[in-house]
């Protein structure tokens, strides 16, 4: 009955009350949102949220933010430490969990979490690990635009509506096309840009200020030359971005080495600077509508989600591009958390359990959602179609395939005398080079008998369940040898014991097409 929206810049925890309504749980400071920020104190507990932001002005070297975009990496966030993105996320979740438990009066051991629709699997795995460290099981990792669609579908029931969810957050952009038919919500297509958000909008203003400060002071500010300059500038730029929605011109005052520089930015200059970023979002919107098999004229509702979507220039551009009126019936900054909380109750009902709070039964929304795969999933093959052989991704389950689903393809061995084959499960675009894809699993079929004539003897079957988990099975159709692995975001690659095959020491080659 709780849902965690771990945003790039802000976090929310949603709940569902005994009346079936979703709401946001305030943190210990009484705030509905918690900044995704941590101050890693040398002694004592780390500071979280607004406390961290305030302390970051004093000691910016130990202040971290925007680490969600680095999930899946082992980059150290604070010099001289091993404090990595997963550690930061787990620390943030610990504070959110504690505050929510104090309000609810119960221990949170299970919840629904959300993530960007185009999050790579290594980032998802890191996010789930961060929850797991805090004793929270995540039975469903819900795409952020899907969660927003869930909130709208429950709050605004009705049949035969096609929704376009435009989700412009602090660090990522997603757009999804959904169909609402009574209690059924179906995701038709999803697209996005992995690193596009309010931070990038701010960067346009920040660069403008830096250039003028450098011109006025004779040098470009750096964190080493003035450690407090950049935290202060970040606050001023954020305020200016919001003010430019209502004012034709805004002054940004930057203090550097005892000198004040006033940078005046007009609304037209701001709009021109961010135009390429807005266009990226509109291009992704067009791709999503096309992949959904729809035209813009067939969209019934345009839902704006994410804090950046509040900007008037964003709403005007999207409205002009689609011919639709942007809808903010549900607070854009809370819709994802609402949807995650509602999904937590429906997930319990799906499992045959009843959600309760202090002995009161929480009614389950009469809504069922079917999502789509967020990435192309294929296997590594030797591409012999050109003069120079290369390793490429042969897609078996294309992006935006309704899940759960199952697909099969067949391949040749590369050589006639080959006795082992390595199947690599790749996440990436169709026909992309292997090194440009994410390896999410692998296994080997060995002791394969020779055949006098090469045939498509290696059958590869992929299945994706409702939670987006991938299971792969490789079968040699000549000998019947078979091997299966499940890609579990929480545990990495898990071998199914009943069909386990030991890897040979002599090496093996990928399949060929």
């Amino acid at each position: 009955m709780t849902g965690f929206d771990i945003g790039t810049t802000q976090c929310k925890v949603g709940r569902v009350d005994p009346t079936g309504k979703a709401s946001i749980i305030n943190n210990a400071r009484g705030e509905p949102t918690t900044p995704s920020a941590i101050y890693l104190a040398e002694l004592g507990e780390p500071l979280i949220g607004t406390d961290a932001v305030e302390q970051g002005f004093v000691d910016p070297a130990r202040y971290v933010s925007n680490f969600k975009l680095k999930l899946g990496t082992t980059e150290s966030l604070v010099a001289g430490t091993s404090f990595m993105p997963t550690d930061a996320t787990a620390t943030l979740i610990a504070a959110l969990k504690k505050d929510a438990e104090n309000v609810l009066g119960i221990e949170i051991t299970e919840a629904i979490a959300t993530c960007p629709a185009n999050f790579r699997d290594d980032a998802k795995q890191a996010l789930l690990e961060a929850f797991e460290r805090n004793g929270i099981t995540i039975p469903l990792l819900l795409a952020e635009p899907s969660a927003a669609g869930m909130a709208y579908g429950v709050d605004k029931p009705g049949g035969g509506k096609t929704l376009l969810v435009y989700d412009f957050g602090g660090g990522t952009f997603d757009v999804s096309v959904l169909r609402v038919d009574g209690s059924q919500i179906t995701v038709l297509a999803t697209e996005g840009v992995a690193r596009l958000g309010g931070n990038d909008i701010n960067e346009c203003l920040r660069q403008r200020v830096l250039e003028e400060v450098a011109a006025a002071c004779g040098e470009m500010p750096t964190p080493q030359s003035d450690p407090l300059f950049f935290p202060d500038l970040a606050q001023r730029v954020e305020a200016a971005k919001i003010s430019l929605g209502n004012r034709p011109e805004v002054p940004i005052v930057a203090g550097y080495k005892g000198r004040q520089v006033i940078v005046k930015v007009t609304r037209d200059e701001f709009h021109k600077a961010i135009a390429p970023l807005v266009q990226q979002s509109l291009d992704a919107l067009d791709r999503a509508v096309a992949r959904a098999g729809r035209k813009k004229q067939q969209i019934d509702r345009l839902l704006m989600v994410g804090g950046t979507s509040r900007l008037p220039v964003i709403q005007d551009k999207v409205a002009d591009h689609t011919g639709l009126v942007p809808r903010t019936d549900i607070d854009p900054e809370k819709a994802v958390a609402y949807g995650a909380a509602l999904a937590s109750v429906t997930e319990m009902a799906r499992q045959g359990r009843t959600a309760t709070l202090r002995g009161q039964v929480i009614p389950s929304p009469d809504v069922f959602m079917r999502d789509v795969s967020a990435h192309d999933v294929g296997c590594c093959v030797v591409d012999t179609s050109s003069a120079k052989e290369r390793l490429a991704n042969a897609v078996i389950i294309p992006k935006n395939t309704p899940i759960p689903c199952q697909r099969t393809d067949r391949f040749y061995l590369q050589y006639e005398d080959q006795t082992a084959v390595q199947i690599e499960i790749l996440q990436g675009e169709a026909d992309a080079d292997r090194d440009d894809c994410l390896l999410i699993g692998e296994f080997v079929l060995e002791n394969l008998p020779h055949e006098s004539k090469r045939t498509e003897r290696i059958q590869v079957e992929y299945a994706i369940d409702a939670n987006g988990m991938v299971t792969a099975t490789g079968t040699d159709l000549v000998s019947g040898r078979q091997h299966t692995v499940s890609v579990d975001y929480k545990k990495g690659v898990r071998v199914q014991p009943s069909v386990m095959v030991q890897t040979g020491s002599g090496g093996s080659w990928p399949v060929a097409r």
Side-chain angles (χ1 to χ4, degrees), residues 185-315:
I185 302 176
T186 304
V187 180
L188 302 179
T190 187
E191 287 288 338
V193 183
R195 293 179 178 268
L196 175 64
N199 290 334
D200 302 283
I201 301 289
N202 290 1
E203 183 63 19
C204 294
L205 290 173
R206 194 178 84 117
Q207 285 300 321
R208 168 71 183 279
V209 174
L210 286 174
E211 290 168 5
E212 296 210 18
V213 170
C217 299
E219 66 179 55
M220 179 66 72
T222 66
Q224 292 73 33
S225 63
D226 190 342
L228 301 182
F229 174 82
F230 288 96
D232 180 66
L233 178 60
Q235 294 277 345
R236 295 178 184 273
V237 162
E238 177 68 20
K241 176 183 70 175
I242 296 171
S243 294
L244 282 167
N246 303 306
R247 297 165 58 186
E249 183 179 89
V250 171
I252 303 176
V253 181
Y256 180 61
K257 288 189 173 181
R259 181 173 178 177
Q260 277 195 343
V261 179
I262 300 176
V263 181
K264 295 182 179 180
V265 181
T266 68
R267 184 187 297 158
D268 289 343
E269 289 171 337
F270 175 57
H271 290 182
K272 182 178 180 180
I274 68 172
L277 302 177
V278 178
Q279 189 58 50
Q280 286 186 52
S281 76
L282 297 179
D283 291 343
L285 183 156
D286 289 342
R287 292 195 301 271
V289 173
R291 286 181 178 269
R294 298 290 195 275
K295 296 181 180 180
K296 294 171 191 173
Q297 298 87 335
Q298 295 174 298
I299 304 297
D300 298 300
R301 296 282 188 276
L302 168 62
L303 310 182
M304 306 299 284
V305 177
T308 306
S309 71
R310 287 180 177 276
L311 294 176
V313 60
I314 299 289
Q315 297 204 8

Side-chain angles (χ1 to χ4, degrees), residues 460-484:
V460 179
E461 179 183 280
Y462 287 171
I464 302 181
D465 67 15
N467 288 346
M469 302 300 185
V470 179
T471 298
T473 300
T475 305
D476 175 32
L477 298 178
V478 173
S479 65
R481 295 187 182 277
Q482 189 176 85
H483 191 95
T484 296

